[in-house]
Every structure is written in C-alpha cells, then in structure tokens.
C-alpha cells in the first residue's frame, strides 16, 4: 500500500461514515479509489480533492456539519482551531496585490506569505500551487481563487495560516466560462484536516450576501481583517 493511502476502515473513520457506506460509494464510482489484490485503496490526495469538490457544492448547513467533524485536534494541529482573522496576519495581506498575470499572482502570493516568517521556501510553495492549478483550477465564478498546493507543505511551514491579495482588476485565472478573478486567498496548512476545515470556513463566509463587494472595497489591511472577522462571527 502506498504511503498515506486509506483502506476501507481508515477512510470510513476519516469521513465519519461506516465501512459499508464507503464500500458502496467506491463500488458505485462515487469515491476515487482502486482495487489492489481485491482490496480497495484510496489515495489521500485524491480523497482531499474529492472533499474540496464537495465543499464547493455544499450549502451552509452541510459546510457547518463538515466543519464540526473537522474541528477535532490532531497531532499536527493540537490546539483549538484558530479563526480566519487570527490565521491572517496583516503582513500577509496585499491591497492592492500588484500582479497582472496568473503566474505573477502565484509568485506574489507565495512571497506575501513568506513575509510572515512562517514560510521558509516561497519558490517551492509557488511550484506546488502551480501544479495544483494545472490539475484543477481553484478559481470560483464569484471572482475568488482559493490557492493551495495539492498536499500540505508542512516541511516548509512553521504553522498554518492564510494570505490574501486583491488585485486592482480581474485577471484570467481558470474560472468557469471565462470569469475573471481578483480576490486571492492562499491557504497554507500543516495537515489535510486543518486544510479542509479552513476551506469549509472560507466557503461559508464567501457565500454571505454583500461580503465580497465589501471586501473588494476595503480601504486597507485593517478594514479587510475586520470584515473577515465580522463575517466569521455570523457563522459561529
């Protein structure tokens, strides 16, 4: 079994399902898996991407349930989950983000994240983000992209955190139907559970009416963090 792969039992525990449910989903092609020697095996990165897609299609109630299960402490993230505002230090926010192309946005966001002192290799992170974007763009129709690598980059991170950049105009970033993107969150996580929890929480605040127009109109870093904190308070 490849390092980090799930079996039926371990995936059932991870997804908070019973083994029979996982087996049925796999047999119906609803889970990304493969059979090896008659046994189901599931790649951890593939399962995380499957969960990311579910997050993108879920309503607030479903996201709240998912977030509840993901709030359990882990060895990589033993403390209480931090709020988004706590995860987003002022030095990791750029208003405006001075980038005009897809490639320069990725490089600029990695360099922005490095200003926290918690990212030790921005070039490596940028490369991992580009690989993830080539596989499946993270741009949403709302004009937001949730940048992240395919797997947590714990070896080059001091802790989990966020970065935020807002460009002066929308740029092509792989959004559906040619939509443009101008708001970029970079999710830097130590483990899969924390990563998914952060995505679920971000998705909940992004869906709030008037949140994105207000964020785009934020005058400065303090205003942006205050808007995020206020939006998050509504979902708690």
């Amino acid at each position: 079994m490849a390092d980090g792969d799930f079996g039926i039992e371990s995936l059932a525990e991870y997804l908070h399902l019973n083994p029979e449910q996982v087996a049925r989903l796999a047999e119906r092609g609803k889970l990304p898996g493969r059979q090896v020697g008659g046994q189901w095996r599931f790649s951890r990165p593939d399962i995380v991407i499957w969960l990311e897609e579910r997050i993108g299609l879920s309503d607030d109630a479903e996201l709240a349930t998912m977030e509840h299960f993901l709030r359990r402490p882990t060895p990589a993230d033993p403390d209480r989950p931090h709020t988004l505002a706590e995860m987003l230090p002022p030095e990791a926010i750029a208003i405006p983000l001075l980038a005009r192309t897809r490639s320069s946005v990725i490089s600029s966001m990695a360099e922005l994240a490095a200003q926290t002192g918690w990212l030790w290799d921005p070039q490596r992170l940028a490369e991992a983000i580009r690989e993830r974007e080539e596989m499946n763009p993270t741009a949403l129709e709302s004009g937001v992209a949730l940048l992240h690598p395919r797997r947590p980059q714990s070896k080059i991170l001091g802790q989990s955190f966020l970065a935020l950049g807002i460009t002066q105009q929308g740029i092509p970033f792989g959004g559906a139907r040619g939509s443009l993107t101008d708001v970029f969150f970079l999710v830097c996580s130590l483990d899969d559970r924390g990563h998914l929890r952060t995505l679920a929480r971000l998705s909940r605040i992004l869906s709030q009416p008037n949140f994105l127009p207000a964020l785009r109109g934020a005058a400065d870093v303090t205003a942006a963090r205050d808007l995020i904190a206020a939006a998050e308070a509504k979902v708690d």
Side-chain angles (χ1 to χ4, degrees):
M1 182 169 64
D3 182 36
D5 278 6
F6 292 107
I8 289 285
E9 296 286 342
S10 59
L11 183 56
E13 181 179 0
Y14 187 77
L15 296 177
H16 301 278
L17 300 173
N18 62 53
E20 292 75 19
Q21 289 175 303
V22 171
R24 284 198 298 271
L25 287 169
E27 289 164 1
R28 295 171 183 172
K30 302 296 185 181
L31 276 173
R34 66 194 187 283
Q35 286 195 311
V36 179
Q39 300 293 319
W40 280 102
R41 293 290 180 257
F42 307 90
S43 162
R44 181 177 290 270
D46 289 346
I47 291 298
V48 170
I49 291 172
W50 177 79
L51 283 168
E52 290 174 356
E53 292 171 349
R54 285 194 63 192
I55 287 172
L57 297 173
S58 298
D59 60 24
D60 188 73
E62 293 167 332
L63 288 170
T65 299
M66 185 179 297
E67 193 181 349
H68 169 74
F69 286 122
L70 293 167
R71 290 175 74 87
R72 295 187 308 172
T74 67
D77 189 12
D79 301 320
R80 67 173 177 83
H82 297 294
T83 67
L84 296 178
E86 289 172 336
M87 293 178 66
L88 184 60
E91 59 268 29
I93 302 175
I95 301 176
L97 179 70
L98 301 178
R100 296 184 177 181
T101 66
R102 182 171 177 269
S103 180
S104 64
V105 163
I106 293 173
S107 296
S108 297
M109 289 299 294
E111 292 294 341
L112 183 64
Q115 292 183 23
T116 64
W118 300 326
L119 169 62
W120 306 315
D121 193 339
Q123 183 175 352
R124 178 174 169 183
L125 179 63
E127 291 171 355
I129 294 169
R130 287 190 177 94
E131 290 175 3
R132 174 65 176 83
E133 291 294 329
E134 289 297 327
M135 182 176 59
N136 190 15
T138 61
L140 308 174
E141 289 187 27
S142 59
V144 179
L146 304 177
L147 307 178
H148 57 270
R150 185 169 182 238
R151 305 191 72 165
Q153 301 290 304
S154 57
K155 292 182 179 179
I156 60 173
L157 294 174
Q159 66 178 66
S160 297
F161 66 97
L162 293 168
L164 167 64
I166 303 177
T167 55
Q168 293 174 313
Q169 59 187 20
I171 65 171
F173 207 80
R177 295 192 287 274
S179 60
L180 301 179
T181 305
D182 61 347
V183 177
F184 300 89
F185 284 95
L186 171 56
V187 182
C188 298
S189 302
L190 293 178
D191 67 351
D192 291 329
R193 187 178 296 276
H195 166 71
L196 292 167
R197 185 180 65 224
T198 299
L199 284 184
R201 176 54 62 102
L202 274 172
S203 296
R204 295 183 71 189
I205 70 166
L206 290 172
S207 66
Q208 291 182 14
N210 302 319
F211 171 74
L212 277 173
L215 185 62
R216 289 185 171 104
D220 53 32
V221 168
T222 300
R225 290 185 83 240
D226 288 347
L227 282 166
I228 290 169
E232 191 169 13
K234 293 179 181 179
V235 304
D236 282 330

mmCIF file of all heavy atoms in Angstrom, residues 7-24:
data_model
loop_
_atom_site.group_PDB
_atom_site.id
_atom_site.type_symbol
_atom_site.label_atom_id
_atom_site.label_comp_id
_atom_site.label_asym_id
_atom_site.label_seq_id
_atom_site.Cartn_x
_atom_site.Cartn_y
_atom_site.Cartn_z
ATOM 1 N N GLY A 7 -7.427 2.541 3.500
ATOM 2 C CA GLY A 7 -8.227 1.358 3.218
ATOM 3 C C GLY A 7 -9.677 1.683 3.541
ATOM 4 O O GLY A 7 -10.008 2.806 3.921
ATOM 5 N N ILE A 8 -10.554 0.705 3.419
ATOM 6 C CA ILE A 8 -11.977 0.933 3.704
ATOM 7 C C ILE A 8 -12.181 1.412 5.138
ATOM 8 O O ILE A 8 -12.872 2.407 5.399
ATOM 9 C CB ILE A 8 -12.794 -0.350 3.457
ATOM 10 C CG1 ILE A 8 -12.900 -0.666 1.964
ATOM 11 C CG2 ILE A 8 -14.192 -0.216 4.074
ATOM 12 C CD1 ILE A 8 -13.854 0.207 1.200
ATOM 13 N N GLU A 9 -11.567 0.725 6.095
ATOM 14 C CA GLU A 9 -11.780 1.059 7.505
ATOM 15 C C GLU A 9 -11.230 2.439 7.857
ATOM 16 O O GLU A 9 -11.902 3.240 8.510
ATOM 17 C CB GLU A 9 -11.126 -0.005 8.395
ATOM 18 C CG GLU A 9 -11.719 -1.401 8.271
ATOM 19 C CD GLU A 9 -13.073 -1.520 8.938
ATOM 20 O OE1 GLU A 9 -13.386 -0.645 9.769
ATOM 21 O OE2 GLU A 9 -13.804 -2.471 8.620
ATOM 22 N N SER A 10 -10.009 2.722 7.438
ATOM 23 C CA SER A 10 -9.403 4.003 7.804
ATOM 24 C C SER A 10 -10.097 5.174 7.110
ATOM 25 O O SER A 10 -10.250 6.258 7.687
ATOM 26 C CB SER A 10 -7.906 4.000 7.485
ATOM 27 O OG SER A 10 -7.672 3.754 6.104
ATOM 28 N N LEU A 11 -10.567 4.969 5.868
ATOM 29 C CA LEU A 11 -11.285 6.033 5.180
ATOM 30 C C LEU A 11 -12.643 6.273 5.831
ATOM 31 O O LEU A 11 -13.097 7.415 5.954
ATOM 32 C CB LEU A 11 -11.456 5.713 3.702
ATOM 33 C CG LEU A 11 -12.130 6.805 2.861
ATOM 34 C CD1 LEU A 11 -11.385 8.136 2.975
ATOM 35 C CD2 LEU A 11 -12.235 6.380 1.402
ATOM 36 N N ALA A 12 -13.289 5.196 6.275
ATOM 37 C CA ALA A 12 -14.573 5.344 6.968
ATOM 38 C C ALA A 12 -14.406 6.193 8.219
ATOM 39 O O ALA A 12 -15.216 7.083 8.495
ATOM 40 C CB ALA A 12 -15.133 3.966 7.324
ATOM 41 N N GLU A 13 -13.337 5.962 8.966
ATOM 42 C CA GLU A 13 -13.088 6.759 10.169
ATOM 43 C C GLU A 13 -12.804 8.218 9.794
ATOM 44 O O GLU A 13 -13.291 9.145 10.447
ATOM 45 C CB GLU A 13 -11.906 6.177 10.943
ATOM 46 C CG GLU A 13 -11.592 6.938 12.222
ATOM 47 C CD GLU A 13 -10.424 6.331 12.983
ATOM 48 O OE1 GLU A 13 -9.857 5.327 12.516
ATOM 49 O OE2 GLU A 13 -10.080 6.873 14.049
ATOM 50 N N TYR A 14 -12.046 8.419 8.742
ATOM 51 C CA TYR A 14 -11.674 9.773 8.312
ATOM 52 C C TYR A 14 -12.894 10.567 7.860
ATOM 53 O O TYR A 14 -13.007 11.768 8.128
ATOM 54 C CB TYR A 14 -10.665 9.663 7.172
ATOM 55 C CG TYR A 14 -10.042 10.966 6.721
ATOM 56 C CD1 TYR A 14 -9.040 11.573 7.462
ATOM 57 C CD2 TYR A 14 -10.449 11.581 5.541
ATOM 58 C CE1 TYR A 14 -8.456 12.766 7.042
ATOM 59 C CE2 TYR A 14 -9.871 12.765 5.115
ATOM 60 C CZ TYR A 14 -8.877 13.351 5.871
ATOM 61 O OH TYR A 14 -8.304 14.528 5.455
ATOM 62 N N LEU A 15 -13.834 9.889 7.172
ATOM 63 C CA LEU A 15 -15.006 10.559 6.617
ATOM 64 C C LEU A 15 -16.202 10.529 7.561
ATOM 65 O O LEU A 15 -17.264 11.064 7.225
ATOM 66 C CB LEU A 15 -15.409 9.905 5.290
ATOM 67 C CG LEU A 15 -14.401 9.998 4.142
ATOM 68 C CD1 LEU A 15 -14.918 9.250 2.927
ATOM 69 C CD2 LEU A 15 -14.107 11.447 3.789
ATOM 70 N N HIS A 16 -16.066 9.898 8.724
ATOM 71 C CA HIS A 16 -17.157 9.762 9.680
ATOM 72 C C HIS A 16 -18.347 9.022 9.054
ATOM 73 O O HIS A 16 -19.507 9.409 9.221
ATOM 74 C CB HIS A 16 -17.590 11.134 10.218
ATOM 75 C CG HIS A 16 -16.482 11.876 10.888
ATOM 76 N ND1 HIS A 16 -16.106 11.644 12.192
ATOM 77 C CD2 HIS A 16 -15.633 12.823 10.422
ATOM 78 C CE1 HIS A 16 -15.089 12.437 12.503
ATOM 79 N NE2 HIS A 16 -14.785 13.152 11.444
ATOM 80 N N LEU A 17 -18.020 7.966 8.320
ATOM 81 C CA LEU A 17 -19.013 7.072 7.745
ATOM 82 C C LEU A 17 -18.747 5.668 8.276
ATOM 83 O O LEU A 17 -17.731 5.423 8.923
ATOM 84 C CB LEU A 17 -18.913 7.072 6.215
ATOM 85 C CG LEU A 17 -19.135 8.414 5.504
ATOM 86 C CD1 LEU A 17 -18.840 8.268 4.016
ATOM 87 C CD2 LEU A 17 -20.556 8.917 5.709
ATOM 88 N N ASN A 18 -19.669 4.735 7.990
ATOM 89 C CA ASN A 18 -19.353 3.356 8.351
ATOM 90 C C ASN A 18 -18.715 2.662 7.144
ATOM 91 O O ASN A 18 -18.874 3.120 6.003
ATOM 92 C CB ASN A 18 -20.592 2.610 8.868
ATOM 93 C CG ASN A 18 -21.693 2.507 7.822
ATOM 94 O OD1 ASN A 18 -21.454 2.047 6.705
ATOM 95 N ND2 ASN A 18 -22.909 2.913 8.182
ATOM 96 N N PRO A 19 -17.981 1.571 7.361
ATOM 97 C CA PRO A 19 -17.274 0.909 6.251
ATOM 98 C C PRO A 19 -18.185 0.489 5.107
ATOM 99 O O PRO A 19 -17.779 0.522 3.940
ATOM 100 C CB PRO A 19 -16.615 -0.301 6.924
ATOM 101 C CG PRO A 19 -16.431 0.125 8.358
ATOM 102 C CD PRO A 19 -17.648 0.961 8.660
ATOM 103 N N GLU A 20 -19.422 0.090 5.433
ATOM 104 C CA GLU A 20 -20.350 -0.335 4.394
ATOM 105 C C GLU A 20 -20.701 0.828 3.463
ATOM 106 O O GLU A 20 -20.795 0.663 2.244
ATOM 107 C CB GLU A 20 -21.632 -0.912 5.022
ATOM 108 C CG GLU A 20 -21.436 -2.232 5.757
ATOM 109 C CD GLU A 20 -20.747 -2.067 7.103
ATOM 110 O OE1 GLU A 20 -20.739 -0.916 7.641
ATOM 111 O OE2 GLU A 20 -20.213 -3.063 7.609
ATOM 112 N N GLN A 21 -20.864 2.015 4.035
ATOM 113 C CA GLN A 21 -21.149 3.193 3.213
ATOM 114 C C GLN A 21 -19.985 3.499 2.280
ATOM 115 O O GLN A 21 -20.172 3.825 1.107
ATOM 116 C CB GLN A 21 -21.440 4.397 4.102
ATOM 117 C CG GLN A 21 -22.763 4.352 4.832
ATOM 118 C CD GLN A 21 -22.918 5.512 5.791
ATOM 119 O OE1 GLN A 21 -22.091 5.708 6.683
ATOM 120 N NE2 GLN A 21 -23.975 6.295 5.618
ATOM 121 N N VAL A 22 -18.762 3.433 2.807
ATOM 122 C CA VAL A 22 -17.581 3.709 1.985
ATOM 123 C C VAL A 22 -17.474 2.687 0.858
ATOM 124 O O VAL A 22 -17.200 3.042 -0.296
ATOM 125 C CB VAL A 22 -16.305 3.700 2.854
ATOM 126 C CG1 VAL A 22 -15.057 3.763 1.977
ATOM 127 C CG2 VAL A 22 -16.325 4.863 3.827
ATOM 128 N N ALA A 23 -17.707 1.413 1.179
ATOM 129 C CA ALA A 23 -17.624 0.372 0.153
ATOM 130 C C ALA A 23 -18.651 0.601 -0.953
ATOM 131 O O ALA A 23 -18.347 0.464 -2.144
ATOM 132 C CB ALA A 23 -17.830 -1.002 0.796
ATOM 133 N N ARG A 24 -19.871 0.989 -0.574
ATOM 134 C CA ARG A 24 -20.908 1.242 -1.584
ATOM 135 C C ARG A 24 -20.538 2.429 -2.465
ATOM 136 O O ARG A 24 -20.697 2.383 -3.688
ATOM 137 C CB ARG A 24 -22.259 1.487 -0.901
ATOM 138 C CG ARG A 24 -22.931 0.233 -0.370
ATOM 139 C CD ARG A 24 -24.411 0.466 -0.112
ATOM 140 N NE ARG A 24 -24.617 1.491 0.907
ATOM 141 C CZ ARG A 24 -24.692 1.247 2.214
ATOM 142 N NH1 ARG A 24 -24.566 0.007 2.660
ATOM 143 N NH2 ARG A 24 -24.898 2.221 3.071
#
